[in-house]
């Protein structure tokens, strides 16, 4: 965003970001409400974050093992609410198993909307090619997603983004997002740059390297540390 601001002006970039954030929030909220209503049989959690977490567990129980945020929330909730929490999760899972075929939420839209302004994977700054690769990395089971299906999602949801899309591609390593290829015209400099970031709720600082790739006229942004791992 700082690099874009240097080119087109800070107020312009901030306007793009606000529009992208507000539109993605509306789409994500609609998706969550649809999924929660179906899962809970008409009863909606008062805590939207809890609704998202429970939904993740109900849909794919192994999320507890693969997602540190879900794992920490699950243990904390179980410690605080004990059996009442487990009974709520069990009831949600039963309702989901019985009514899963009635879901009307586009899973690709859900992934895109939830990560549209994600600071670790800002889809609002990405090309369509990069968005599709990132979405598939977040949901590896959805192999049927295509450029055409993404085009329909972006068209119907009318998600706002940057007029310039500097992130041209996504680097996938071991099934996860490891970094990004960024248009060299956006980020100046010829030497690798270390970027430090402290995400809310994370125990460790995440590190990103911005590595110039002059031969391809691009910059490679590679994540070398992530939450809970070195």
């Amino acid at each position: 965003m700082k690099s874009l601001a240097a080119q087109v002006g800070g107020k312009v970039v901030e306007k793009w970001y606000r529009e992208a954030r507000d539109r993605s929030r509306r789409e994500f909220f609609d998706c969550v409400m649809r999924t929660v209503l179906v899962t809970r049989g008409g009863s909606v959690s008062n805590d939207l974050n809890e609704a998202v977490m429970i939904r993740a567990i109900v849909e794919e129980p192994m999320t507890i093992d693969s997602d540190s945020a879900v794992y920490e929330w699950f243990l904390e909730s179980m410690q605080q609410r004990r059996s009442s929490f487990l009974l709520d999760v069990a009831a949600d899972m039963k309702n989901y198993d019985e009514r899963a075929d009635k879901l009307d939420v586009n899973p690709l839209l859900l992934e895109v909307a939830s990560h549209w302004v994600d600071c670790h994977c800002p889809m609002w700054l990405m090309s369509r090619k990069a968005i599709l690769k990132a979405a598939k990395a977040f949901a590896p089971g959805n192999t049927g997603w295509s450029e055409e299906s993404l085009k329909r999602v972006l068209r119907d949801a009318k998600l706002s983004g940057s007029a310039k899309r500097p992130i041209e591609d996504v680097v996938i390593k071991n099934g996860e997002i490891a970094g990004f290829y960024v248009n060299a015209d956006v980020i100046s400099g010829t030497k690798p740059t270390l970027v430090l970031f402290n995400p809310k709720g994370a125990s460790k600082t995440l590190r990103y390297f911005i590595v110039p790739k002059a031969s391809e006229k691009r910059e490679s942004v590679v994540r070398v540390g992530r939450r809970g791992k070195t």
Side-chain angles (χ1 to χ4, degrees):
M1 290 178 66
K2 289 181 179 179
S3 299
L4 283 177
Q7 294 184 354
V8 301
K11 291 184 178 180
V12 174
V13 175
E14 294 244 352
K15 178 176 180 292
W16 289 345
Y17 173 75
R18 286 195 302 270
E19 291 174 349
R21 179 198 61 195
D22 294 346
R23 186 66 195 182
S24 64
R25 283 179 176 176
R26 287 194 291 270
E27 291 297 328
F28 182 61
F29 181 82
D30 288 346
C31 288
V32 170
M33 286 300 99
R34 293 191 192 102
T35 57
V36 170
L37 284 172
V38 172
T39 303
R40 299 205 160 199
S43 176
V44 181
S45 170
N46 291 325
D47 187 332
L48 187 57
N49 182 62
E50 177 177 296
V52 175
M53 295 290 191
I54 289 182
R55 172 67 184 189
I57 293 173
V58 166
E59 193 171 41
E60 178 48 68
M62 288 304 294
T63 302
I64 298 176
D65 181 63
S66 62
D67 191 319
S68 60
V70 174
Y71 174 76
E72 293 169 4
W73 165 83
F74 184 85
L75 290 183
E76 182 180 350
S77 298
M78 189 165 59
Q79 183 177 31
Q80 292 177 351
R81 295 167 51 192
R82 306 288 295 178
S83 60
S84 64
F85 168 71
L86 294 177
L87 287 171
D88 283 345
V89 174
D92 289 345
M93 188 168 290
K94 182 176 184 295
N95 285 330
Y96 175 79
D97 290 343
E98 293 176 348
R99 307 174 65 185
D101 60 335
K102 297 180 180 179
L103 294 178
D104 63 348
V105 175
N106 185 322
L108 178 55
L109 170 61
L110 181 59
E111 288 297 337
V112 172
S114 61
H115 294 97
W116 193 245
V117 291
D118 181 353
C119 56
H120 297 290
C121 186
M123 293 186 178
W124 74 289
L125 295 173
M126 293 183 180
S127 67
R128 287 183 180 176
K129 174 184 177 181
I131 293 173
L132 187 59
K133 288 181 69 173
K136 287 183 176 180
F138 286 123
N142 293 283
T143 56
W145 292 345
S146 65
E147 292 184 7
E148 185 60 33
S149 56
L150 175 62
K151 182 179 179 180
R152 288 195 297 269
V153 162
L154 297 178
R155 179 194 63 205
D156 296 342
K158 297 180 181 178
L159 289 168
S160 301
S162 169
K164 291 188 175 183
R165 302 297 180 93
I167 301 176
E168 299 181 357
D169 202 357
V170 175
V171 180
I172 306 296
K173 185 176 181 180
N174 298 325
E176 296 184 347
I177 296 175
F180 310 96
Y181 287 113
V182 179
N183 190 307
D185 293 337
V186 176
I187 302 177
S188 60
T190 58
K191 297 181 179 180
T193 302
L194 176 63
V195 179
L196 302 179
F197 183 70
N198 294 289
K200 183 179 180 181
S203 58
K204 295 184 179 181
T205 299
L206 300 184
R207 297 183 298 165
Y208 298 82
F209 276 112
I210 302 175
V211 184
K213 296 190 70 174
S215 60
E216 298 181 10
K217 302 300 182 180
R218 294 182 179 181
E219 305 261 348
S220 175
V221 182
V222 181
R223 181 173 61 193
V224 296
R226 63 190 182 88
R227 186 179 305 176
K229 295 187 178 181
T230 57

